[in-house]
Amino acid sequence: MKGAAPVGAGNEREAAAWVRGMFGRVAPRYDLANHLLSLNIDRSWRARTVRRVQPVLDRPGSRALDICCGTGDLLLALKSAGKGTVLGSDFCHPMLVEANRKIARQRTAAPVFESDALQLPLRDGSLDLLTVAFGFRNLANYAAGLAEIRRVLRPGGMAAILEFSTPPNAAFAALYHFYSRRILPWIGGALSGNRDAYTYLPESVRKFPAAKELAEDMRQAGFREVEFQYFTGGIVALHTGKRKE
Ligand SMILES: C[S@@+](CC[C@H](N)C(=O)[O-])C[C@H]1O[C@@H](n2cnc3c(N)ncnc32)[C@H](O)[C@@H]1O
C-alpha cells in the first residue's frame, strides 16, 4: 500500500500540498462537475453508503465523523438519516466553505473542522462510525490513513470507505478507462476550469488498490468483518469493517 502520488510530487508532504491546492481550485464548481460527470449517480452511491451504516446511525448518542468531507454531501446525508452527532473534516479550506454554505441552507447542525485525515484531533476510540467518500484515494499514505481511522474508532466501531475502483468485468473496465482517461479530462476541465484535476483523477484511480486488495489491507490494519460491495458495475466500491478490540 502506498498513497496518492500526483505527478511532480517528490514526497508525501508535497503530494498532500498538491491535492489540497487542486481541491481548493475546483471547490466552487466541484458539485456541478461531480453531478454532471457521474450523471447524478454519485448521489445514489452516497445514499447506499448511508443505508449500509444506518444501524450505527440509529444507535442513540452515536458519534460519526465524515473525513475528507469536501462540500459535505455525505455528511449531510448521514446527518439527515440519524439523530446522533455527525461531524465533518477536510484539510481544504475552500471545500469547507462550500460545505458550510450547504449546512446553513439546510438549517442543520453538522459541525465541520479543518484537519488532515492522517492526524485527526480526536481522542483514541472516540467514534462509533467513520466514513470517507472519494477521499481515501487522495491520502498521501494509505497505511497511515487506515491506522488513523482505526485509532479514532472505538473497538467495534465501523469504518466505511466509498471509493472509485476497477470494474471486475474486463470489457466494462476497458470502456470505463477509455471514458475516464480520454473524455473525462476534457469535460471535467471545461466544467471545473481545471484540467489538472480531471487528469489526476483517472491516474489516481488506476494506481489505487483493487477492491480485494484494499479489503486485505483493512484486515492487516486491524479491522474485522471486512466486506466490500461494488456499485455501478465496479466503478465504485464500498468497503466496510469494524475495529478489532
Ligand atoms: C473527491 S473530494 C470528495 C469530497 C466528498 N467526500 C464527496 O463525496 O464529494 C476529496 C476530498 O478529500 C480531501 N482530502 C484529500 N486528502 C486529504 C487529507 N489528507 N486530509 C483531509 N482531507 C483530504 C480533499 O480536500 C477533498 O475535499
Side-chain angles (χ1 to χ4, degrees):
M1 284 208 106
K2 294 199 181 88
V7 175
N11 55 42
E12 289 181 12
R13 204 169 47 82
E14 287 175 13
W18 190 95
V19 166
R20 188 167 47 236
M22 183 268 287
F23 280 109
R25 287 188 291 280
V26 300
R29 294 174 131 198
Y30 174 82
D31 283 346
L32 175 75
N34 226 5
H35 300 324
L36 283 176
L37 285 169
S38 75
L39 308 172
N40 241 354
I41 300 172
D42 63 306
R43 291 185 200 274
S44 76
W45 295 332
R46 292 190 192 84
R48 289 175 75 172
T49 303
V50 172
R51 284 205 289 280
R52 179 70 184 84
V53 302
Q54 190 70 55
V56 188
L57 297 173
D58 285 344
R59 267 184 230 142
S62 65
R63 287 161 304 168
L65 171 68
D66 183 40
I67 59 168
C68 303
C69 71
T71 59
D73 279 359
L74 181 59
L75 167 73
L76 285 165
L78 292 165
K79 183 63 196 174
S80 60
K83 292 204 176 73
T85 303
V86 183
L87 307 171
S89 69
D90 199 289
F91 73 174
C92 176
H93 188 75
M95 292 293 260
L96 291 178
V97 169
E98 298 298 322
N100 271 327
R101 276 204 193 113
K102 276 200 251 179
I103 294 165
R105 271 203 303 274
Q106 297 199 13
R107 295 167 199 269
T108 190
V112 296
F113 58 92
E114 205 167 319
S115 166
D116 192 319
L118 300 182
Q119 284 179 304
L120 293 165
L122 296 178
R123 286 197 310 275
D124 295 1
S126 53
L127 298 173
D128 300 292
L129 172 67
L130 185 144
T131 58
V132 52
F134 309 111
F136 189 82
R137 172 180 39 88
N138 298 296
L139 300 183
N141 185 321
Y142 301 144
L146 288 177
E148 187 64 351
I149 292 172
R150 184 187 180 281
R151 181 187 74 76
V152 295
L153 283 170
R154 65 164 173 76
M158 184 186 270
I161 303 176
L162 178 68
E163 193 48 88
F164 289 109
S165 195
T166 299
N169 178 295
F172 184 57
L175 193 69
Y176 170 62
H177 285 140
F178 177 80
Y179 166 77
S180 63
R181 275 190 221 151
R182 306 277 169 196
I183 299 172
L184 186 135
W186 289 99
I187 312 177
L191 288 172
S192 69
N194 186 316
R195 185 140 186 246
D196 273 7
Y198 291 90
T199 308
Y200 161 76
L201 187 133
E203 270 311 293
S204 64
V205 174
R206 193 176 60 81
K207 291 180 192 155
F208 192 64
K212 274 189 191 157
E213 209 183 310
L214 179 57
E216 191 46 40
D217 291 333
M218 288 179 73
R219 288 183 195 104
Q220 295 295 327
F223 292 89
R224 60 176 163 85
E225 295 172 49
V226 174
E227 346 180 304
F228 67 86
Q229 55 190 129
Y230 286 124
F231 298 159
T232 318
I235 289 177
V236 161
L238 172 65
H239 286 72
T240 53
K242 292 182 180 168
R243 180 187 154 162
K244 282 186 195 159
E245 295 309 307

